[in-house]
Amino acid sequence: MAQLKVTQVRSTIGTKPNQRQTLRSLGLKRINDTVVQEDRPEIRGMVATVTHLVTVEEVRATGEEGL
């Protein structure tokens, strides 16, 4: 299954509380923090909420190189 590499690139100062909570739920605490999450609809929805604060890259899961 594919994974998403999510990196926080902007500050949460001045953002709405639900956006700050979404970043914390993703596992991001400060600028330049990066987490790798499974590519699921729930994660995509969270990323859509804070799309202006993060960058997203798709990465292959380990062991999928031969597929």
Side-chain angles (χ1 to χ4, degrees), residues 2-8 26 28 32-39 43-44 47 54-60:
Q3 294 182 326
L4 297 175
K5 181 178 174 184
V6 185
T7 304
Q8 182 178 345
L26 285 169
L28 300 169
N32 291 328
D33 266 1
T34 301
V35 294
V36 177
Q37 298 278 353
E38 291 295 324
D39 188 6
I43 301 299
R44 290 273 183 168
V47 168
V54 299
T55 59
V56 181
E57 300 174 37
E58 276 194 41
V59 295
R60 286 180 172 231

Side-chain angles (χ1 to χ4, degrees), residues 4 22 26 39-51:
L4 297 175
T22 300
L26 285 169
D39 188 6
R40 299 191 332 249
E42 299 87 9
I43 301 299
R44 290 273 183 168
M46 285 193 266
V47 168
T49 302
V50 292
T51 188

Side-chain angles (χ1 to χ4, degrees), residues 8-24 28-29 31 49-54:
Q8 182 178 345
V9 294
R10 299 209 38 193
S11 173
T12 58
I13 295 173
T15 60
K16 296 179 181 178
N18 71 316
Q19 294 171 345
R20 279 179 258 154
Q21 292 168 352
T22 300
L23 285 175
R24 289 302 225 138
L28 300 169
K29 296 180 182 176
I31 295 174
T49 302
V50 292
T51 188
H52 59 290
L53 302 174
V54 299

